[in-house]
Amino acid sequence: MATFGLIGKVLVHSFSKKFFTEKFANENIDSKYELFEMPSADGLKQLIADQHPMGLNVTIPYKQDVIPFMDKLDETAAKIGAVNTIKFFYQPDGSYKLMGFNTDVIGFENSFKPLLKPWHTKALVLGTGGASMAVAYVLDKLGIEYKYVSRTRKNGGFSYEDLDEKVMAEYTIVINCSPVGTFPNVDEAPNLPYEFVTDRHYLYDLVYNPEVTKFCALGREHGAIAKNGLEMLHGQAIASWEIWNRKMDF
């Protein structure tokens, strides 16, 4: 039985195991998908030695931390600077090579695009981790101007304190790439001035558990379009599965 799985620091919120377990059962695939929590990305080598996985997904906060362990990066992952999918190339002598991919791009773009309106031309990207880098890659591709938002102002971006009525009126897309609001912390939401959210805003939350995050709920209270990250999760998972099963030379 082949082993696949997800590595991250805290995975109690994850739906990935449920998604793949159901897929394997429905399609009679002799494989299992496990959740591998680890205190740091340094645990990757021991995990490989213990489990001999055929493929891994990577989530917060290790999408950048795993890069030094990769022998090769896919072109997209290299441009983004973040990896969420690892493909294994095992050799006859038991050694292996690792190649990093980023399927967050596929999942996010396909989920995000359908709800865009003509006035959605500028975006606030909340958080500066690996997920935000994939989101920024897609926004660049779509020609949407964006600024990062973090606790302290970085690289020409905003701090949360900078977000006043004028900024919120100008940036009508807000994308939460932080873990704020993830189960079990369902009463938390990014520190935005929600009173300035209108029916012209589009709030997209990469968090998918709970189904309706406080971020999305507060946006909808003010008439905004709001969407969670479940469709993105499914899209990136399907893309990961295709990569793990694709014949390719290292």
Side-chain angles (χ1 to χ4, degrees):
M1 177 181 288
T3 298
F4 299 88
L6 173 69
I7 64 171
K9 193 164 191 175
V10 179
L11 300 176
V12 65
H13 68 282
S14 179
F15 286 174
S16 294
K17 181 173 182 176
K18 179 177 184 291
F19 176 86
F20 277 107
T21 299
E22 290 177 356
K23 176 180 176 64
F24 295 160
N26 292 337
E27 299 176 25
N28 294 315
I29 298 170
D30 186 25
S31 297
K32 62 179 180 177
Y33 191 97
E34 303 291 350
L35 303 179
F36 301 111
E37 291 187 347
M38 52 183 65
S40 79
D42 293 337
L44 178 60
K45 284 192 174 182
Q46 189 60 50
L47 169 65
I48 295 169
D50 293 342
Q51 300 290 335
H52 304 289
M54 299 304 296
L56 291 172
N57 289 125
V58 185
T59 191
I60 293 172
Y62 301 142
K63 294 184 182 185
Q64 295 164 278
D65 294 352
V66 298
I67 289 178
F69 297 97
M70 298 300 105
D71 297 290
K72 188 176 181 180
L73 292 179
D74 166 71
E75 182 181 352
T76 302
K79 286 180 179 177
I80 293 169
V83 164
N84 82 314
T85 300
I86 301 173
K87 183 177 176 68
F88 286 72
F89 295 83
Y90 285 103
Q91 309 301 316
D93 64 1
S95 65
Y96 58 85
K97 299 287 187 181
L98 303 180
M99 186 169 179
F101 296 81
N102 193 303
T103 63
D104 282 337
V105 168
I106 298 167
F108 175 68
E109 182 174 359
N110 291 341
S111 173
F112 174 71
K113 277 173 62 177
L115 297 178
L116 284 173
K117 303 297 182 185
W119 57 85
H120 291 145
T121 58
K122 291 187 177 184
L124 298 174
V125 179
L126 312 182
T128 56
S132 70
M133 297 164 84
V135 165
Y137 180 91
V138 172
L139 295 177
D140 280 330
K141 180 180 177 181
L142 298 176
I144 295 173
E145 184 180 327
Y146 62 90
K147 293 262 192 176
Y148 287 111
V149 182
S150 53
R151 286 187 294 271
T152 56
R153 201 177 298 126
K154 299 177 184 175
N155 302 323
F158 294 119
S159 70
Y160 285 95
E161 287 72 25
D162 294 327
L163 304 182
D164 56 17
E165 185 172 6
K166 181 181 177 182
V167 172
M168 295 298 292
E170 183 178 359
Y171 292 82
T172 52
I173 302 171
V174 186
I175 305 169
N176 179 34
C177 301
S178 79
V180 176
T182 303
F183 177 85
N185 302 311
V186 298
D187 293 326
E188 297 179 0
N191 185 26
L192 302 178
Y194 292 94
E195 65 270 23
F196 301 134
V197 173
T198 70
D199 59 3
R200 292 178 65 83
H201 281 85
Y202 178 9
L203 274 58
Y204 190 103
D205 201 339
L206 268 63
V207 175
Y208 56 82
N209 183 9
E211 182 177 348
V212 180
T213 61
K214 190 172 181 181
F215 172 72
C216 287
L218 289 169
R220 287 172 180 160
E221 285 178 13
H222 291 85
I225 298 167
K227 185 171 186 176
N228 78 359
L230 187 59
E231 187 178 29
M232 174 182 170
L233 171 76
H234 290 169
Q236 68 82 20
I238 291 167
S240 294
W241 181 248
E242 291 172 351
I243 287 169
W244 293 331
N245 290 278
R246 187 187 307 158
K247 297 290 186 183
M248 65 176 77
D249 296 323
F250 182 78

